[in-house]
Amino acid sequence: MEMEASAAEGAAAAAARTLRWAGRAGHLGGVPRAAVIAAVGAVAKAYASLLNTTTVHNADALLRLVSSRPPGTPLLTVSNHMSTMDDPLMWGFKGFPTTDAKLQRWVLTAEDICFRNVFMSYIFRLGKCVPITRGAGIYQDHMTEALEVLSTGDWLHSFPEGKIAQDDQPIRRLKWGTASLIVRAPVTPIVLPIVHSGFEKVMPEKSFFGRRPPVPLWNKEIHIIVGEPVEFDLPSLKQAARTVPQDSSFERKGWPSIMPDGLDEAAQRWLYQKISDKIQSVMETLRKRLLDLKQH
């Protein structure tokens, strides 16, 4: 009982710290959100369009889906993760509506970095950030919040690799959280892959006495490539997942079955891995294409 009470108190404290109410569109008439996004967007514009040189390939694919999707259809963008400043700087290129609070993305962010105290939580909530607790799994309350974003037809951005990697290596194995959002969303989102490079030079992890610099650096080259939407035949994948034999070798997490499909934990694992593998493959193809473009 004491452990349960302690867990409940911890959950309540986390909920209080992350200030979900501050992320609502109607909070104080939307004025604080508009102010924060305008200010952050202006900084992103300055760094991406003025202080650094940014080249974007196939930007129209992103601009079109951000501004004119079919009503009620959510957008889920996925990208590699090169620095703590990827978001918001990656949206600061010329022609992108970075300062528009209505069009701006929601983004999954690390709770232990962005939601350390009430002040940070308030600012990041106004900036349309959804906290994710590392190690808490794909059925944590914050993932339910992310699903609610998609259920309203909004735009959500995810870094499915799950952590920063500043070496120019192939796309790493993806975490299953993004795949679970695709499967569990009431309306299947449009999944748009993006790969970038250069932000690891704008905000290197170990350049300032072995730490990140106090502000982003300038006179760097940033390259971004936007892919085409990734198609998933979810009905067929779910049907195949139902036939997956039970595997007693993995540790069960106690996931609930997905209704109305009735997918148990083994089926979900198979399904999430298939979707993650496809996204990883598409992102790796984009990464190689971007390398070729940079060399010409």
Side-chain angles (χ1 to χ4, degrees), residues 82-98:
M82 299 292 282
S83 79
T84 55
M85 296 301 293
D86 293 352
D87 184 289
L89 299 190
M90 64 186 293
W91 315 119
F93 62 87
K94 293 178 180 178
F96 194 82
T98 313

Side-chain angles (χ1 to χ4, degrees), residues 14 17-18 109-112 130-138 140-143:
R17 186 179 65 254
T18 57
T109 54
E111 182 183 9
D112 59 323
V130 177
I132 293 297
T133 305
R134 299 178 194 268
I138 63 175
Q140 61 179 282
D141 289 343
H142 295 316
M143 288 294 283

Side-chain angles (χ1 to χ4, degrees), residues 44-59:
K45 284 286 186 189
Y47 272 98
S49 301
L50 298 175
L51 300 177
N52 294 287
T53 301
T54 300
T55 303
V56 185
H57 304 277
N58 198 31

Side-chain angles (χ1 to χ4, degrees), residues 18-231:
T18 57
L19 305 182
R20 184 174 179 180
W21 51 267
R24 295 170 184 154
H27 171 57
L28 296 180
V31 174
R33 173 188 285 185
V36 166
I37 288 180
V40 173
V43 171
K45 284 286 186 189
Y47 272 98
S49 301
L50 298 175
L51 300 177
N52 294 287
T53 301
T54 300
T55 303
V56 185
H57 304 277
N58 198 31
D60 286 346
L62 176 63
L63 289 167
R64 183 175 62 253
L65 290 173
V66 166
S67 60
S68 59
R69 294 188 307 283
T73 301
L75 172 63
L76 177 61
T77 50
V78 294
S79 75
N80 56 325
H81 204 4
M82 299 292 282
S83 79
T84 55
M85 296 301 293
D86 293 352
D87 184 289
L89 299 190
M90 64 186 293
W91 315 119
F93 62 87
K94 293 178 180 178
F96 194 82
T98 313
T99 59
D100 190 321
K102 291 183 178 179
L103 292 180
Q104 192 53 263
R105 88 293 169 264
W106 289 86
V107 60
L108 303 182
T109 54
E111 182 183 9
D112 59 323
I113 294 176
C114 302
F115 291 77
R116 294 178 182 175
N117 54 55
V118 171
F119 175 76
M120 291 180 68
S121 295
Y122 187 65
I123 297 300
F124 278 98
R125 280 295 190 183
L126 293 177
K128 300 176 76 170
C129 297
V130 177
I132 293 297
T133 305
R134 299 178 194 268
I138 63 175
Y139 281 99
Q140 61 179 282
D141 289 343
H142 295 316
M143 288 294 283
T144 302
E145 184 180 342
L147 279 172
E148 291 175 7
V149 169
L150 294 176
S151 70
T152 61
D154 276 347
W155 168 26
L156 178 70
H157 184 71
S158 169
F159 297 101
E161 291 176 297
K163 61 182 179 180
I164 292 169
Q166 298 204 319
D167 51 349
D168 191 12
Q169 296 296 319
I171 301 297
R172 295 166 300 168
R173 181 180 182 276
L174 306 187
K175 305 292 186 181
W176 288 348
T178 299
S180 77
L181 292 174
I182 295 170
V183 173
R184 296 161 59 200
V187 176
T188 302
I190 298 171
V191 181
L192 189 69
I194 302 172
V195 171
H196 52 77
S197 69
F199 291 116
E200 74 280 8
K201 298 176 182 176
V202 175
M203 181 56 76
E205 287 289 291
K206 298 179 180 179
S207 74
F208 190 77
F209 298 103
R211 306 182 66 178
R212 301 185 194 108
V215 296
L217 306 181
W218 49 91
N219 291 331
K220 310 297 181 185
E221 290 191 358
I222 299 167
H223 297 267
I224 302 172
I225 184 168
V226 180
E228 297 299 329
V230 183
E231 299 290 338

